Amino acid sequence: DTAVSQTPKYLVTQMGNDKSIKCEQNLGHDTMYWYKQDSKKFLKIMFSYNNKELIINETVPNRFSPKSPDKAHLNLHINSLELGDSAVYFCASSWEGNEAFFGQGTRLTVV
Amino acid sequence: AQSVSQHNHHVILSEAASLELGCNYSYGGTVNLFWYVQYPGQHLQLLLKYFSGDPLVKGIKGFEAEFIKSKFSFNLRKPSVQWSDTAEYFCAVNGDNAGNMLTFGGGTRLMVKP
């Protein structure tokens, strides 16, 4: 069974659209994350969330919002997509500061 | 705030050469340190980690790293690289006051020539 799974793997959409990326972890971890990896491979934390606290990287536009229906899921919603949002988005999870386990990534292309 | 610097952006080696990738972090408190590898087209996988104890940690695939607290460094080493080690390598830090968030360095792209 995949530990951290994201869907879809590829997403191509037009500017201005609203889209969501889903993430599920079956590891029983208490914290989930979203990272953005740009074309230069630089990884930037977007959100960290557990059942108590949402930590938002202040540089993330408010068009991006995480939604967590339960501890095992952290979905990423993006409104009014822009060309600059094109990137690979990774979901990850961890337990109390231990190493993070990453999903396979979602390659988002905005045209 | 915590930060991580990887000074080598691109490294090209021949097979059997030795590897050392630099990683320096900036954080005043207790840290957990990690090295991740990302093979082409794949997700990040953990190579090794340091939480406490012996500052020389061994990971998978023959990799090791040494934590030098006085230098705020956690360099990655491998005595003899293989073509299959071609990948992007990321150092990461998780400070005890950082909400469990990993902060990554900019990555080092390693290319091993057969």
Side-chain angles (χ1 to χ4, degrees), chain A residues 31-33 45-50 53-55, chain B residues 99-101:
Chain A
T31 307
M32 297 183 72
Y33 315 83
I45 180 75
M46 301 178 72
F47 306 101
S48 166
Y49 183 80
N50 61 25
E53 187 178 17
L54 171 65
I55 301 175
Chain B
N100 289 337
M101 288 194 293

Side-chain angles (χ1 to χ4, degrees), chain A residues 65-111:
Chain A
S65 58
K67 299 274 194 278
S68 181
D70 54 57
K71 286 180 63 174
H73 296 83
L74 184 66
N75 303 325
L76 181 65
H77 295 267
I78 316 170
N79 295 325
S80 302
L81 279 155
E82 301 177 357
L83 291 176
D85 297 332
S86 295
V88 180
Y89 292 83
F90 286 99
C91 177
S93 70
S94 72
W95 175 258
E96 294 188 348
N98 288 310
E99 68 268 27
F101 288 77
F102 284 80
Q104 296 287 335
T106 296
R107 182 175 294 276
L108 171 65
T109 303
V110 182
V111 298

Side-chain angles (χ1 to χ4, degrees), chain A residues 33-73:
Chain A
Y33 315 83
W34 277 104
Y35 283 86
K36 178 181 180 181
Q37 187 174 44
D38 62 23
S39 58
K40 295 183 179 179
K41 301 293 186 182
F42 185 71
L43 276 163
K44 184 177 80 170
I45 180 75
M46 301 178 72
F47 306 101
S48 166
Y49 183 80
N50 61 25
N51 58 358
K52 300 175 186 176
E53 187 178 17
L54 171 65
I55 301 175
I56 302 172
N57 184 325
E58 61 186 13
T59 67
V60 175
N62 57 16
R63 298 181 295 104
F64 290 80
S65 58
K67 299 274 194 278
S68 181
D70 54 57
K71 286 180 63 174
H73 296 83

Side-chain angles (χ1 to χ4, degrees), chain B residues 33-93:
Chain B
L33 296 157
F34 308 84
W35 274 97
Y36 282 84
V37 61
Q38 185 178 28
Y39 297 105
Q42 295 190 24
H43 65 295
L44 281 83
Q45 303 170 51
L46 182 71
L47 270 179
L48 48 80
K49 61 184 179 183
Y50 173 80
F51 286 0
S52 64
D54 188 344
L56 183 63
V57 293
K58 294 190 183 299
I60 61 172
K61 304 186 180 186
F63 286 92
E64 65 179 30
E66 184 175 12
F67 171 53
I68 303 179
K69 189 174 181 179
S70 60
K71 295 184 178 181
F72 297 90
S73 69
F74 190 55
N75 292 354
L76 181 71
R77 298 194 292 251
K78 184 171 184 178
S80 177
V81 295
Q82 301 172 312
W83 176 78
S84 58
D85 292 324
T86 295
E88 194 90 19
Y89 291 81
F90 294 92
C91 181
V93 62

